[in-house]
């Protein structure tokens, strides 16, 4: 039996609903079960969580550059005009809301926070705070760990945890941007899915710390004539570790006694492989988030000729799908009643790197009559001007058949 009572959350009239939620089975797990499994110890022996993976510099950089780049993009409101163009609505209430989402954070921090949780947890949530007239006046981020999507009588609700109690919020009062999902209701965390790979990276990082922290006893052995007593063995080991163990003591001059000899053995092959493993993990993170390696500061294959085009590919194939998720959900929740209006990120500045190629393309399309000036201005995020809807073409071109006909007449 479910118990409901009217309560308030973020100024919203909602009801509390107590119900048990199954996590599924190992054969058919829910995203919550994946998250729980990802918090356990992996085969590498290292626990993987959304927080521990951030100690991997590649993950930190990938999350940072994706969330920071999207946060830096202007998010504008437009209206479709009768002539097929669009008009920027800077003074629209939704535009003002997106520019100033709440009293505690800027629009940059709001978008960055939402995107960071989306990249790590696979979902991003924001509650809509309404005034007495029902208009949305604030957007409040809600941490994914405190949200569970449910359906009641065919309608979607979000159980939001507050002080260990779940309160149910209607779908229309929550902005939910999911990542990759198989049911359309909740995205899967990439960290949960890639837990074993991330565990390998964390294990390699931990091994490296211990390797370099151990100092001299990792790259050589002490040889002494005869057999040492237990007391002499312990004294020699303690003395050696106190004087030479650790990175800060690795260059001290060793003084040996009693015929002892130090033989350097270098880094064993199995230890040297951890360097390759660390490098491979950068490529793994790049694949997981679709971020070009040079953006993760791996410049081995980067050249002056390809790095600009890789940047454009980053916008086209990595940022654009995330951006479209944002735009579709915001349009659905904030502009549902305005069929002629829509929100859109301005990504023009990110695509302006190859300015020569872009200008050559516009010039060619204009000269053959495929684009008019206003279309070019629209692609450059500039407003149209009167008379710019006309198409032009060079008049020097003629059909080959006409040239043959003219040649025959002159002969």
């Amino acid at each position: 039996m479910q118990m409901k009572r009217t309560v308030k959350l973020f100024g919203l009239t909602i009801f509390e609903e107590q119900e048990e939620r199954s996590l599924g089975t190992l054969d058919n797990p829910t995203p919550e079960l994946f998250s729980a499994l990802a918090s356990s110890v992996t085969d590498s022996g290292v626990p993987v969580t959304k927080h521990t993976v951030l100690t991997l510099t590649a993950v930190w950089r990938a999350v940072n550059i994706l969330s920071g780049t999207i946060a830096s993009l202007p998010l504008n409101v437009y209206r479709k005009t009768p002539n097929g163009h669009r008009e920027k609505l800077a003074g629209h209430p939704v535009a003002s809301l997106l520019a100033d989402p709440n009293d505690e954070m800027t629009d940059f921090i709001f978008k960055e926070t939402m995107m960071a949780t989306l990249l790590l947890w696979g979902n991003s949530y924001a509650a809509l705070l309404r005034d007495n007239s029902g208009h949305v006046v604030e957007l409040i981020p809600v941490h994914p760990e405190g949200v569970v999507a449910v359906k009641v009588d065919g309608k979607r609700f979000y159980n939001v945890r507050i002080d260990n109690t779940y309160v149910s919020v209607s779908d229309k009062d929550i902005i939910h941007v999911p990542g990759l999902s198989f049911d359309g209701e909740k995205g899967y965390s990439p960290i949960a899915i890639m837990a074993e790979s991330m565990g390998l990276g964390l294990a390699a990082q931990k091994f490296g710390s211990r390797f370099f922290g151990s100092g001299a006893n990792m790259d050589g052995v002490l040889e002494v004539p005869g057999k040492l007593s237990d007391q002499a063995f312990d004294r020699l080991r303690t003395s050696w570790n106190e004087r030479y163990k650790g990175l800060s003591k690795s260059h001290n001059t060793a003084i040996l006694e009693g015929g002892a000899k130090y033989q350097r053995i270098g880094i064993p092959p199995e230890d040297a492989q951890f360097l390759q493993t660390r490098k491979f993990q950068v490529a793994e993170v790049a694949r997981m988030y679709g971020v070009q390696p040079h953006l993760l500061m791996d410049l081995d294959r980067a050249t002056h000729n390809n790095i600009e085009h890789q940047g454009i590919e980053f916008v086209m194939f990595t940022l654009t799908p995330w951006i479209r998720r944002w735009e579709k959900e915001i349009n659905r929740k904030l502009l549902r009643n305005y069929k002629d209006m829509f929100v859109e990120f301005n990504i023009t500045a990110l695509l302006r790197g190859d300015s020569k190629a872009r200008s050559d393309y516009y010039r060619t399309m204009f000269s053959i009559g495929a684009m008019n000036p206003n279309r070019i201005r629209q692609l450059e995020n500039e407003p149209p001007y009167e008379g710019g809807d006309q198409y032009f073409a060079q008049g020097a071109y003629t059909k080959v058949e006409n040239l043959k006909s003219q040649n025959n007449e002159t002969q």
Side-chain angles (χ1 to χ4, degrees), residues 115-126:
M115 190 62 197
T117 58
L118 178 56
L119 293 168
L120 292 171
W121 277 265
N123 296 273
S124 190
Y125 303 93

Side-chain angles (χ1 to χ4, degrees), residues 303-361:
T303 67
H304 291 294
N305 294 328
N306 68 18
I307 200 166
E308 184 175 54
H309 292 285
Q310 287 188 54
I312 295 176
E313 290 177 356
F314 172 67
V315 175
M316 294 174 61
F317 303 118
T318 301
L319 287 182
T320 298
W322 291 117
I323 286 172
R324 293 295 176 258
R325 293 175 189 270
W326 276 73
E327 293 171 347
K328 297 294 185 181
E329 178 67 1
I330 293 175
N331 286 330
R332 190 169 75 96
K333 296 297 176 63
L334 298 180
L335 293 172
R336 181 185 294 270
N337 298 325
Y338 302 91
K339 300 302 181 182
D340 61 336
M341 297 182 188
F342 61 96
V343 299
E344 187 174 280
F345 282 93
N346 181 8
I347 63 172
T348 305
L350 297 178
L351 294 172
R352 287 181 175 174
D354 196 348
S355 57
K356 184 179 184 303
R358 194 174 73 259
S359 61
D360 289 344
Y361 169 74

